[in-house]
Structure formats: structure tokens, C-alpha cells
Amino acid sequence: MASIIDIARMAGVSKTTVSKVFNNQYGVSAETRQKVLEAARELHYTPNQAARSLVTSRTNVIGVVYDALVSPIYTELAGHLEKACSGYGYHLVFCNCNDNHETKVRYMNYFAGGSADGVILFGSDHRDRDIIETLLQNEYPFSVIENRFDDLNVNHILINNFDGARKAVHYLAGLNHNRIAHVTGNMQHRVASDRLNGYITALQDLNMLVRPEHILYTDAAIGCGAAAARAFMELEDRPTAILAFNDIIAYEMIGYFQQQGLQVPEHISIVGFDHIKSQLSFLPVSMTLTSMAQPMDLVAQAAVEATLSLITSKGAAPVQTRIFDTRLVEGNSCWPVL
């Protein structure tokens, strides 16, 4: 196995210079840095991360803690986070909590105990406040995607879920629908409450009646879309359009409706949320879902940059709140009421 001595000899520089290059320190010209990196590649050098951590007091690892890996949107974000990190020499370690708060606390303690230089917390569980307050007290670098605590000095990376749901309802109203229903996500999570509030506000904007029977609460688990579709079919005042919490729920509803002889969009229109069409290749080619798309690439980049800013500045960088808008991507799951 090659060592930094071998690299220094091949590049014609000192061991100190090689160390500076690998630790991203100043004082090395671009030409010399390139020589060192080329020598390292030629010698197939693999740095000893444990030894480097002892010298630099850094692991070059960022932990990513998810609420639950139940949706392709989580997989999509993971890919974007890895891509965003690759240019900074950092590695990611992903942890799935399965919506278990105690598990999340253990993961956060593990990372903050020296296993990672910082953490990205993705999810909107209302119970996360105690975790975030502990991280703040310990001055540990982290960013939050999707959740929001306005009274805490935290890096917030957010999707405007409220406005996204509101825009979806206005779109359906523009197709002359006036009985628009909503299937919620897990109301323990802020993203679900934001989308519900956006839906209700849009109906109020349009002077439409908010019908309690047209709001179906779920935990967003697999199978709840079919259950919601069955419940709506049993209503005497059945909705003509539905805003689903996410695309998986929307596609499950489409499948159930079609099994029962109710065609989408001819008999009922459906809008999803997330726009994860590429993750759902098992669906019929003839059906493309109208959905609210989230710019997960921009969210990932913002989260990585905000977290690294706190890491490299040792907490001196100002925290920031970034809010990204959704956009409607039209498929063929919606139909105007004539």
C-alpha cells in the first residue's frame, strides 16, 4: 500500500506538502496540488481516514437522518445529497429511523459524539424540537430539511408545501371542479399539516365549502391510498377531484378506482405531490400523474452548503432559511368538468 512518502517522492515535494493537499490546507500552488493528486492516483493511494481524523479533528463525514424510508422522494434526495457532497471531499452516512423518535435520538447522539462533523436532519416530525435544542446547546453543526422552528436559530431548508397544495387546488378549480377532496399524510409531520392548511386556504380563497368528509386523514403508509379511494367511493357526495399527499397515495387511488370501474381522469381527477414519476416505472405507460414537483437537487445543495459552512467556520457562519417553491407538472390524470 502506497504512503504519503511514496507520493512525495514521485511528485518531487515534501511530506508536509502532500499532507496539506490531502487536508485541503492553504499554501500549495495549483500546479503542485495537481502533481500530488496525479501521483496519488497513479499509486492508487487510499488515505487512512482514522489517522487523518486524529490530526485534523474531522471525520469528513456528514450524517443524514431520515424519519422513514417509505417514499421514493427520500431515495431521490439521497442521490442529490451524495452528488452535492462529492465536490467537497465529504462522505455521507444515512440512517433510517422508521418514525421512531428514540431511534432518532440515538443516531443523533452517535453522530454528535464524534462520528460525524455535522448532520442533516430530513423530516418534519413535531417531536424533533428536543433533539434540535440539544444540538444547539452543544454548538454542533447541522441543518434541517422540511421541518421548521421559527424561534430557534437553525439552518432551515424548506419546500413551500403550503403554497404547493394551494396551487394544486387552484389548478383543479380552474378545471371547474368544486368538490375537491384531500388525502393527508401523517399529521405528526409538519409537511402534512402545511399541505392540509394550503388545501383549506385555497378552498376558502375560492369561496368553496370545506367539507369535513372530503378530508381523509392517513399516516401515509403503503395501502392508505386504496383505503382512501374506497372511502370516497362510499360517499353520497363524492368528490370530482382529489389532491393526494404524495404520488404513491395518488397512484394507489388510481389503481383502486380503475379496479372498481371508475376511470381517471374521465370520472375523477387526481393531483399528486413530489413528482417522482421516474421512481414508479411499474405504472402503466398510459397514465402520467399531474403532480407538484419539488426541486430536490436545489434542496440537497443548499443543505450540504449550509452544513459545511457551519463545519468549516466552527459555528461562526450565520444560519439561513431557504424556501423553495414547487411547480405543477401536468400529466393526464386531470380532466375538466364540462
Side-chain angles (χ1 to χ4, degrees):
M1 184 180 293
S3 69
I4 64 170
I5 296 175
D6 300 318
I7 295 171
R9 187 179 297 119
M10 177 176 282
V13 299
S14 68
K15 290 189 298 180
T16 301
T17 299
V18 174
S19 180
K20 284 184 176 181
V21 171
F22 290 154
N23 291 309
N24 296 314
Q25 295 176 351
Y26 296 109
V28 182
S29 69
E31 182 181 356
T32 300
R33 185 179 297 274
Q34 186 63 30
K35 284 182 180 179
V36 170
L37 294 176
E38 287 177 358
R41 280 193 293 270
E42 190 169 338
L43 292 169
H44 304 289
Y45 173 73
T46 301
N48 186 321
Q49 191 61 49
R52 179 187 292 181
S53 297
L54 290 174
V55 175
T56 63
S57 297
R58 287 194 187 163
T59 63
N60 280 72
V61 169
I62 293 176
V64 182
V65 180
Y66 282 176
D67 279 341
L69 289 169
V70 295
S71 170
I73 195 69
Y74 289 87
T75 305
E76 182 179 329
L77 178 67
H80 289 305
L81 286 170
E82 288 180 330
K83 183 177 180 181
C85 262
S86 62
Y88 297 101
Y90 263 78
H91 306 285
L92 297 176
V93 175
F94 294 90
C95 294
N96 172 31
C97 299
N98 288 317
D99 268 331
N100 186 299
H101 189 67
E102 289 71 26
T103 299
K104 185 181 294 184
V105 171
R106 286 198 299 271
Y107 280 138
M108 299 301 283
N109 289 339
Y110 168 73
F111 286 131
S115 298
D117 298 333
V119 164
I120 295 173
L121 180 59
F122 179 35
S124 57
D125 195 318
H126 294 300
R127 297 170 295 177
D128 287 350
R129 171 177 282 273
D130 62 335
I131 294 175
I132 292 171
E133 288 179 338
T134 299
L135 293 175
L136 286 172
Q137 289 168 7
N138 293 332
E139 298 182 347
Y140 185 73
F142 72 101
S143 296
V144 177
I145 299 177
E146 205 174 71
N147 216 341
R148 184 166 187 167
F149 300 93
D150 290 326
D151 59 323
L152 299 179
N153 201 30
V154 175
N155 277 326
H156 290 111
I157 314 299
L158 305 169
I159 294 291
N160 196 338
N161 288 290
F162 175 90
D163 187 62
R166 187 171 171 271
K167 287 189 290 191
V169 173
H170 277 266
Y171 168 78
L172 290 169
L175 296 176
N176 295 325
H177 291 279
N178 58 17
R179 297 201 309 277
I180 303 170
H182 178 50
V183 180
T184 78
N186 187 338
M187 296 304 291
Q188 285 267 35
H189 298 168
R190 183 183 179 108
V191 60
S193 58
D194 282 351
R195 291 178 189 177
L196 173 61
N197 289 334
Y199 159 82
I200 292 173
T201 299
L203 293 181
Q204 293 170 339
D205 290 342
L206 296 162
N207 294 317
M208 292 184 183
L209 184 64
V210 179
R211 296 177 170 88
E213 67 274 17
H214 283 180
I215 301 174
L216 205 153
Y217 295 89
T218 80
D219 59 1
I222 299 300
C224 69
R230 182 170 59 252
F232 284 136
M233 285 195 71
E234 293 173 354
L235 290 177
E236 186 174 333
D237 188 24
R238 193 168 67 198
T240 61
I242 302 169
L243 168 62
F245 170 72
N246 61 26
D247 289 351
I248 290 181
I249 290 175
Y251 278 117
E252 286 184 349
M253 295 181 77
I254 290 170
Y256 183 86
F257 282 141
Q258 291 183 339
Q259 288 173 8
Q260 302 303 313
L262 196 66
Q263 296 303 309
V264 177
E266 290 85 352
H267 300 141
I268 192 163
S269 294
I270 298 180
V271 176
F273 214 112
D274 293 339
H275 188 52
I276 50 173
K277 176 184 171 185
S278 61
Q279 298 282 342
L280 297 165
S281 57
F282 61 86
L283 292 159
V285 176
S286 60
M287 175 56 64
T288 57
L289 182 67
T290 296
S291 181
M292 302 305 300
Q294 306 183 62
M296 300 311 292
D297 55 338
L298 301 181
V299 168
Q301 187 68 38
V304 168
E305 289 177 353
T307 307
L308 286 175
S309 179
L310 287 177
I311 292 171
T312 56
S313 70
K314 296 183 178 179
V319 298
Q320 54 186 294
T321 295
R322 300 282 304 278
I323 302 176
F324 295 91
D325 288 327
T326 61
R327 63 184 178 88
L328 182 84
V329 179
E330 288 190 275
N332 58 10
S333 64
C334 295
W335 195 270
V337 175
L338 303 176

